[in-house]
Amino acid sequence: MLLGPVKALYSMKFYLQGLRKSAWRASFFMFYIFVLTAVITALFSIFIMRPRIAGAVDTLIDYMPEMTITNGVMEVNDNDTLKISPENMGGYNIVFDTGRTEPVYPTQMATDKTIILVGPDKLYFSFNGRYQETPLPQDLNANLDRAALNAAKEPITNMAAGAILAFMLLAQIFRVPFMLILAFIVMLILGKAMRVQTESGDNYKLACYVQAPAFLIYIISYFTPIPGFLVGFAYLAVFIIYGQLVFNAKRVQTLPDEPEESESAEQEEQDAEQTENEGDDSENN
């Protein structure tokens, strides 16, 4: 089971064996993939996202204007929009828009390369296709200048990193049933289209086991700036490809064995000899 996700990448025998096991076994495999995903997510947040957030907070403090927070409502730059684009942030922006009344859209933040947007009562984070919004406590009252922010740098970093990690883990909880349903539908359609005989529960089992190659796509998406919709198409492609491979392997496995060539030749020789003997008997008569 520990090496199951690796075997699921290349071995059709792994899937065929999985079909002969119980649905509970497949469900446990799915849960195992979920645990691996959660662990990778946590490690990614701690060792990759947090240093980036810390660097962004340092830069933010260096360029930070004075802020006033009254009952959880922030005022910056007299509520006029202020956009900061530090040179060391690779073209990414920090925007203060405390006079904003319209909603904040993740797609717009990604298009504008805005990684932090400070609204009147919420902070918005967007980076590498991951989006999170954090409301300010309604009982928060403070006057923030650069000295105060430097003193609070560590808590700010921890809060931002914790919020992003919590969002990413929460997203996994909703991702699991969606991926399972998508894979199940793909297997059901492929099985019908390819006319492969399946037993009750086989499509569900396959839907669980193909989460392993999908997990690899998920990991790759962490370290490459792939748009979210392309990742979705990659999942669908993986399910279709592996579904076809497994059903082809299952079809071959269920075909009747062909008689061996030697046995066939021997039978033909016996038939010819029998025919010759019958001809001799006829002549004698």
Side-chain angles (χ1 to χ4, degrees), residues 5-137:
V6 177
K7 293 180 180 179
L9 297 178
Y10 65 88
S11 174
M12 293 303 104
K13 182 179 178 181
F14 171 81
Y15 291 95
L16 296 177
Q17 289 176 342
L19 289 176
R20 293 195 291 268
K21 297 176 181 177
S22 68
W24 284 108
R25 180 92 174 191
S27 299
F28 181 78
F29 182 84
M30 177 77 179
F31 177 74
Y32 178 45
I33 293 295
F34 169 74
V35 171
L36 289 178
T37 305
V39 170
I40 295 295
T41 299
L43 293 176
F44 176 81
S45 178
I46 294 170
F47 294 105
I48 295 180
M49 288 296 294
R50 193 184 184 285
R52 293 178 179 177
I53 293 172
V57 169
D58 283 336
T59 302
L60 179 63
I61 291 173
D62 289 339
Y63 288 83
M64 182 76 76
E66 291 189 4
M67 297 180 293
T68 301
I69 305 175
T70 305
N71 295 327
V73 178
M74 186 178 297
E75 181 180 346
V76 178
N77 196 37
D78 294 329
N79 284 337
D80 292 332
T81 302
L82 176 63
K83 184 177 181 180
I84 298 173
S85 303
E87 293 181 0
N88 62 345
M89 289 185 60
Y92 288 97
N93 307 306
I94 300 168
V95 176
F96 297 88
D97 194 1
T98 55
R100 187 184 190 94
T101 56
E102 63 271 17
V104 174
Y105 297 101
T107 51
Q108 189 61 45
M109 288 186 67
T111 302
D112 296 339
K113 301 189 74 173
T114 300
I115 59 172
I116 299 176
L117 191 149
V118 180
D121 57 356
K122 291 181 181 179
L123 303 179
Y124 304 88
F125 303 90
S126 178
F127 191 76
N128 274 3
R130 290 162 180 83
Y131 173 82
Q132 172 67 23
E133 60 181 65
T134 303
L136 297 174

Side-chain angles (χ1 to χ4, degrees), residues 23-283:
W24 284 108
R25 180 92 174 191
S27 299
F28 181 78
F29 182 84
M30 177 77 179
F31 177 74
Y32 178 45
I33 293 295
F34 169 74
V35 171
L36 289 178
T37 305
V39 170
I40 295 295
T41 299
L43 293 176
F44 176 81
S45 178
I46 294 170
F47 294 105
I48 295 180
M49 288 296 294
R50 193 184 184 285
R52 293 178 179 177
I53 293 172
V57 169
D58 283 336
T59 302
L60 179 63
I61 291 173
D62 289 339
Y63 288 83
M64 182 76 76
E66 291 189 4
M67 297 180 293
T68 301
I69 305 175
T70 305
N71 295 327
V73 178
M74 186 178 297
E75 181 180 346
V76 178
N77 196 37
D78 294 329
N79 284 337
D80 292 332
T81 302
L82 176 63
K83 184 177 181 180
I84 298 173
S85 303
E87 293 181 0
N88 62 345
M89 289 185 60
Y92 288 97
N93 307 306
I94 300 168
V95 176
F96 297 88
D97 194 1
T98 55
R100 187 184 190 94
T101 56
E102 63 271 17
V104 174
Y105 297 101
T107 51
Q108 189 61 45
M109 288 186 67
T111 302
D112 296 339
K113 301 189 74 173
T114 300
I115 59 172
I116 299 176
L117 191 149
V118 180
D121 57 356
K122 291 181 181 179
L123 303 179
Y124 304 88
F125 303 90
S126 178
F127 191 76
N128 274 3
R130 290 162 180 83
Y131 173 82
Q132 172 67 23
E133 60 181 65
T134 303
L136 297 174
Q138 294 184 355
D139 58 350
L140 180 61
N141 296 277
N143 291 317
L144 301 178
D145 54 19
R146 194 163 298 168
L149 289 171
N150 272 313
K153 180 170 61 177
E154 192 70 17
I156 291 174
T157 300
N158 290 337
M159 181 184 71
I164 292 177
L165 174 59
F167 172 77
M168 293 170 72
L169 292 177
L170 183 63
Q172 292 307 314
I173 297 176
F174 291 98
R175 174 182 171 273
V176 168
F178 171 77
M179 295 290 287
L180 185 59
I181 292 172
L182 177 62
F184 178 81
I185 293 174
V186 170
M187 298 305 154
L188 186 63
I189 294 174
L190 281 177
K192 296 291 185 181
M194 298 177 67
R195 298 180 181 180
V196 176
Q197 289 284 68
T198 56
E199 298 179 5
S200 176
D202 280 359
N203 292 322
Y204 169 77
K205 295 174 189 177
L206 287 179
C208 291
Y209 288 119
V210 294
Q211 299 305 318
F215 169 68
L216 181 62
I217 299 295
Y218 184 76
I219 298 303
I220 293 173
S221 71
Y222 268 157
F223 302 98
T224 55
I226 304 175
F229 74 93
L230 287 182
V231 175
F233 281 117
Y235 288 146
L236 183 60
V238 163
F239 293 154
I240 293 173
I241 291 171
Y242 275 84
Q244 288 181 326
L245 291 173
V246 173
F247 282 131
N248 280 330
K250 181 174 175 58
R251 176 185 289 166
V252 171
Q253 188 184 55
T254 55
L255 288 176
D257 294 334
E258 296 183 358
E260 295 183 4
E261 185 177 352
S262 59
E263 293 180 356
S264 177
E266 183 178 349
Q267 183 65 37
E268 290 179 359
E269 183 178 347
Q270 290 177 356
D271 292 343
E273 183 177 349
Q274 182 177 357
T275 302
E276 184 179 349
N277 292 336
E278 290 177 353
D280 293 342
D281 292 342
S282 299
E283 292 178 358

